[in-house]
Structures are given as C-alpha cells and as structure tokens.
Amino acid sequence: MGIAIDNLDRSGVIALLWLNNWSVEIKSYSYLYIDVYVELDHSMVWRFTGIYGCPHHFQRHHTWELLRWLNTHLNIPWLIRGDFNEILEWNEKVGGRYRSWTEIQKFCDTLEECGPEDLGFRDP
C-alpha cells in the first residue's frame, strides 16, 4: 500500500509505502510532505510525517511554517523523517552552496519551537 505525490516542478515525487497489515490513515499531504496516523496491532496509534524540505533556500521558510502548522495538530507520539534540505550545525555540511548562520538558525528555531528529539544517524 502507499501514496505518491508529484513534485510541482516534476523533478520527482514524495512517496510513503507501508505493509498491507498496517492500519494507516492519511491525514494530509502536499508535494512537500505526507502526514499519516498509524495503528499497529490495535493497540497504539502514532503519527508519521515524511517530509521533503523546499530545495531552494529562499523558500525554506515554507517548510518551517509547515512544521509549525503540523505541530499544532499533535496529540499522539510523532515521528518525522525525511530530508529538510537544511543542516543544524556546520559539521554536517560537505560541499555545495555556502550556508549562512541566519538560515541555519531559522531551522534550529523551528525545531526548538516544535520540540522534536533528534534520533541522530551515521554516515550518508
């Protein structure tokens, strides 16, 4: 089972796939995110949001506004996964366009306001 949403500029899709025996209710979506409620074994309901941050730095504020809006609809455990197209610290940056501290700080401020916990990762 799953859902796929075309990107506005036709550069790709955002998709979410799940097992047939999972109970998944699609709550909302756009070309930047898919937000669902998941119930496993008729016991615990939790929320999953797959996100793809605006790839253009001058439009990233739309992603931060989206996160703030999604956060207002939170009343169960929530897992957010995806590519925010932003970094939290300079040591995460390898190559590419220069990132100003102001741009990074806007992302950090959004996360601080929404309160998620970074589970971390290793390697690319």
Side-chain angles (χ1 to χ4, degrees):
M1 301 285 300
I3 181 175
I5 311 298
D6 281 330
N7 193 316
L8 287 180
D9 63 6
R10 302 292 184 208
S11 62
V13 300
I14 183 170
L16 180 62
L17 306 173
W18 58 87
L19 299 173
N20 284 337
N21 61 336
W22 287 22
S23 176
V24 175
E25 179 184 351
I26 299 169
K27 300 306 273 183
S28 60
Y29 61 87
S30 79
Y31 71 99
L32 293 176
Y33 79 101
I34 300 171
D35 190 42
V36 300
Y37 283 5
V38 180
E39 182 179 0
L40 302 176
D41 301 324
H42 305 291
S43 58
M44 182 179 171
V45 176
W46 54 282
R47 181 180 182 192
F48 177 83
T49 303
I51 195 160
Y52 179 68
C54 289
H56 307 294
H57 67 92
F58 58 89
Q59 292 182 329
R60 289 220 181 99
H61 64 95
H62 295 301
T63 305
W64 314 151
E65 291 166 8
L66 170 64
L67 282 173
R68 286 183 173 104
W69 178 78
L70 288 168
N71 188 54
T72 65
H73 298 82
L74 181 64
N75 58 1
I76 57 177
W78 187 24
L79 175 64
I80 306 168
R81 176 85 193 228
D83 182 355
F84 293 97
N85 276 315
E86 189 57 90
I87 58 175
L88 292 171
E89 300 175 3
W90 284 106
N91 64 354
E92 296 176 344
K93 180 77 173 129
V94 178
R97 189 180 78 76
Y98 170 79
R99 304 295 306 134
S100 77
W101 178 246
T102 303
E103 293 171 342
I104 294 170
Q105 189 61 47
K106 290 176 185 176
F107 181 42
C108 292
D109 291 346
T110 300
L111 293 181
E112 185 175 320
E113 181 180 323
C114 294
E117 187 173 321
D118 186 355
L119 300 177
F121 69 96
R122 293 184 195 202
D123 301 319

